[in-house]
Amino acid sequence: MSVIYQRVALIGLGLIAGSMAHAMRRGGLAGEIVGTARSAETRKIAAEIGLCDRIVDTAAEAVMGADLVVLCVPPGAMGAVAAEIAPHLAQGACVSDVGSVKRDVISQVGPHIPAGVHFVPAHPLAGTEHSGPRAGFAELFDNRYVLLTPEADTDPAATAKLRAFWEGCGARVEEMDADHHDLVLAVTSHTPHLIAYTMVGVADDLRRVTDSEVIKYSAAGFRDFTRIAASDPTMWRDVFLTNKEATLEILGRFTEELFALQRAIRRGDGEHLHAYFTRTRAIRRGIIEAGQDTDAPDFGRVKVKREPTAG
Ligand code: NAP
């Protein structure tokens, strides 16, 4: 693999930026990796573990001379960071982001992008429930999708270069309209996270979460909910604040289906339940056939140390 960008600036040094730094090094994709984070503590840890070639104090300093700038902060913080870096961006540079929501991030960041700088929004569909500069690892994006959501006037060459970069990080890359992205992610990630948060919250209300029996006998059901519900509170608050419309749309449909299943249970309508569960089982088979999960018993838990979630 050869160098794709001479200098990559990572703004925010958490799970995603850290994994990008490791993956870039593995693939030899960047001449130099410069990083910065909001807090001195995160910058200190990143410097100690050698996460980037250079750690600097401000985002403005980080982007100077960079030909790729990636915003790796929570969705709600993208606009403020874009405003801060805008006057310091190099001509011809590409600005991208990794936010889990695309339309809102585009409207926050887009207005700050100066003429002669490209903006190619992106979202890697890969993550874990861990955060911070120590959480990243090179394999996070391997065989996972990265969705690019360029606008109609985005320079195709800038998009193609970013595609090559993410492929170099091990990912499969596809392009998608930003609004469509937000609806798809509301179904596949955002609403499921909300349901997990709710389920764990309900169990907590019943004061049974701390009861060791709940965890001990939870197998993969409730235990998986607790793992998802351990995801970063700031990021997930921002996801729901910035993908409001699509999440409310999917939640509305979810509630209707839940009521239908509730009625079937009350009426003893086994036919309805069986037909529903048969349909959902086929969806699971499709995910495995597409290579996006394992059909190993217990999700291959014994062998797989890091289990993915996708913001
Ligand atoms: P993370 O590990 O929590 O790291 C977030 C970074 O952003 C930290 O360096 C933090 O700085 C910085 N930050 C937080 N609030 C900020 C603010 N208001 N202004 C400036 N910087 C701020 O997060 P992550 O999981 O890497 O997520 C980063 C982005 O990736 C988010 O946009 C998220 O939507 C997206 N994403 C996440 C996942 C996932 O599963 N985690 C998956 C795909 C995409 P300090 O450390 O100094 O506080």
Side-chain angles (χ1 to χ4, degrees):
M1 205 60 79
S2 55
V3 170
I4 295 177
Y5 294 102
Q6 291 306 323
R7 185 180 293 168
V8 176
L10 298 172
I11 315 297
L13 293 171
L15 167 73
I16 300 296
S19 298
M20 289 178 74
H22 290 300
M24 273 188 259
R25 282 200 171 138
R26 183 186 64 176
L29 308 176
E32 186 188 25
I33 306 169
V34 184
T36 192
R38 175 182 58 168
S39 70
E41 174 66 13
T42 298
R43 295 196 300 270
K44 184 166 162 266
I45 295 169
E48 272 168 18
I49 62 175
L51 193 61
C52 302
D53 299 317
R54 230 166 9 105
I55 299 291
V56 297
D57 288 347
T58 65
E61 200 182 331
V63 305
M64 283 176 198
D67 48 353
L68 175 65
V69 174
V70 191
L71 311 183
C72 304
V73 298
M78 298 281 182
V81 172
E84 185 188 343
I85 63 171
H88 309 282
L89 291 166
Q91 277 293 301
C94 176
V95 174
S96 187
D97 74 293
V98 293
S100 305
V101 174
K102 297 279 47 102
R103 178 55 64 201
D104 189 86
V105 168
I106 290 171
S107 46
Q108 286 184 59
V109 174
H112 297 291
I113 301 295
V117 173
H118 309 289
F119 176 37
V120 186
H123 178 201
L125 305 191
T128 72
E129 69 277 26
H130 303 296
S131 333
R134 294 186 199 276
F137 53 100
E139 302 79 20
L140 180 67
F141 310 113
D142 286 351
N143 205 33
R144 310 287 294 189
Y145 282 105
V146 171
L147 300 178
L148 306 182
T149 63
E151 299 281 78
D153 58 356
T154 307
D155 177 23
T159 306
K161 198 168 171 180
L162 190 67
R163 170 188 281 270
F165 169 82
W166 275 112
E167 285 172 350
C169 290
R172 307 185 197 185
V173 181
E174 293 202 353
E175 287 176 38
M176 196 180 271
D177 167 75
D179 294 310
H180 187 64
H181 165 280
D182 289 354
L183 187 62
V184 169
L185 266 291
V187 176
T188 58
S189 168
H190 304 168
T191 308
H193 271 77
L194 198 70
I195 293 164
Y197 280 123
T198 314
M199 195 56 230
V200 175
V202 167
D204 190 38
D205 283 347
L206 296 173
R207 296 178 190 283
R208 286 179 192 156
V209 166
T210 47
D211 182 337
S212 65
E213 286 193 334
V214 170
I215 302 301
K216 190 171 166 190
Y217 301 126
S218 67
F222 183 70
R223 201 170 56 182
D224 282 339
F225 276 147
T226 62
R227 185 172 65 79
I228 294 171
S231 300
D232 185 64
T234 306
M235 169 187 151
W236 283 96
R237 174 202 64 195
D238 284 3
V239 164
F240 295 113
L241 294 180
T242 56
N243 198 18
K244 188 172 164 178
E245 302 303 327
T247 313
L248 287 178
E249 164 70 18
I250 301 306
L251 260 184
R253 291 181 190 217
F254 174 81
T255 313
E256 284 171 22
E257 301 261 333
L258 192 63
F259 279 139
L261 289 173
Q262 195 178 351
R263 195 177 53 211
I265 293 168
R266 185 178 299 113
R267 290 180 174 174
D269 186 352
E271 214 171 296
H272 180 98
L273 295 173
H274 193 270
Y276 202 94
F277 301 157
T278 303
R279 186 154 68 88
T280 53
R281 183 180 233 191
I283 293 169
R284 171 75 191 156
R285 239 178 263 130
I287 292 171
I288 290 160
E289 278 162 23
Q292 292 298 301
D293 206 348
T294 171
D295 63 352
D298 203 14
F299 302 95
R301 244 197 187 89
V302 181
K303 292 196 199 95
V304 180
K305 293 275 186 294
R306 296 172 171 120
E307 294 170 54
T309 61

